[in-house]
Amino acid sequence: MTPNNQGMTTARPKLDDVAFEAFIRARRPASPIWSMSGLDGYLTALIIGPKFIDPRQWIPELTGPEALNMPMETTSHRAVQTIVAEYNRISASLSETPKDHRPKFTSIDDQTFDPFDWDLCFLLGTRYAPRLWQPALQGHAGTGDNIAPIRKLGEAKRKATHYDAAEVAEALVNIRTYFMPKRAKQKF
């Protein structure tokens, strides 16, 4: 028996961060995301949201409709694999080690971050179920104001700190917890 038959999987080829950003920025029509930080925010919204959104619905919007069917050696296929790997990384982090999860803001230096791409793309990711997202986005009795740390990112024209990232991470876990019963009831 080979290692692959014993439950181990072979990693699919993907793009590094620089190559992925170059691919996504060159795409026409333009992708709604343009950076790894933006991809993290977008995918996070899809992962923690009120319902599962089929990747065949949103991956083509990011990479182009042909990318899902391209051969493995193509840049398009590797871009899809980059997205899948990031989706799996975020999902595992939020479910397995939620206290350690941190959003992937654009680093400015060791102490500060630019949250703009992450924040904007997170909000773009909520548009697949806008009505279902409303309680979390606007805050109400059931959700409290879990979204407040994320909202604060968009209101402030300042750099984010490690403290801000921790607050946002806690908000993400709380939003995920709020929506989890709805997701668990979803029929496929």
Side-chain angles (χ1 to χ4, degrees):
M1 218 176 219
T2 65
N4 284 344
N5 292 350
Q6 297 174 0
M8 295 175 64
T9 59
T10 304
R12 295 270 181 131
K14 61 181 198 132
L15 301 173
D16 65 26
D17 292 0
V18 172
F20 179 79
E21 287 180 356
F23 170 83
I24 220 73
R25 288 178 179 158
R27 192 173 101 55
R28 297 293 175 260
S31 174
I33 61 159
W34 53 89
S35 68
M36 290 303 290
S37 177
L39 178 64
D40 188 87
Y42 192 86
L43 295 177
T44 299
L46 293 171
I47 291 165
I48 70 170
K51 69 180 201 170
F52 173 77
I53 308 297
D54 188 330
R56 293 173 296 188
Q57 187 176 349
W58 53 265
I59 287 177
E61 187 173 303
L62 304 181
T63 61
E66 71 288 342
L68 287 172
N69 299 318
M70 297 299 279
M72 282 178 82
E73 62 275 359
T74 64
T75 302
S76 294
H77 179 81
R78 289 186 173 141
V80 170
Q81 292 309 311
T82 302
I83 292 167
V84 169
E86 285 299 297
Y87 185 97
N88 291 340
R89 179 192 63 78
I90 296 164
S91 183
S93 176
L94 286 165
S95 66
E96 296 168 12
T97 56
K99 291 192 182 308
D100 296 331
H101 180 80
R102 294 296 180 268
K104 194 180 211 179
F105 298 150
T106 302
S107 181
I108 296 173
D109 56 44
D110 289 345
Q111 298 300 314
T112 59
F113 308 94
D114 179 352
F116 179 79
D117 288 1
W118 187 95
D119 186 47
L120 182 61
C121 292
F122 176 86
L123 292 174
L124 288 173
T126 67
R127 70 184 172 168
Y128 285 98
R131 185 183 57 75
L132 296 174
W133 264 101
Q134 285 310 305
L137 292 175
Q138 296 178 348
H140 73 46
T143 64
D145 198 14
N146 288 336
I147 198 84
I150 298 168
R151 188 181 315 110
K152 189 170 97 175
L153 291 177
E155 293 170 354
K157 300 277 192 241
R158 64 174 178 80
K159 299 173 185 175
T161 64
H162 289 284
Y163 178 78
D164 295 318
E167 278 193 320
V168 168
E170 184 178 349
L172 298 173
V173 171
N174 291 337
I175 293 167
R176 181 180 180 273
T177 300
Y178 171 75
F179 283 135
M180 191 54 72
K182 289 180 172 91
R183 287 182 76 110
K185 291 178 184 176
Q186 187 176 353
K187 301 219 187 308
F188 297 98

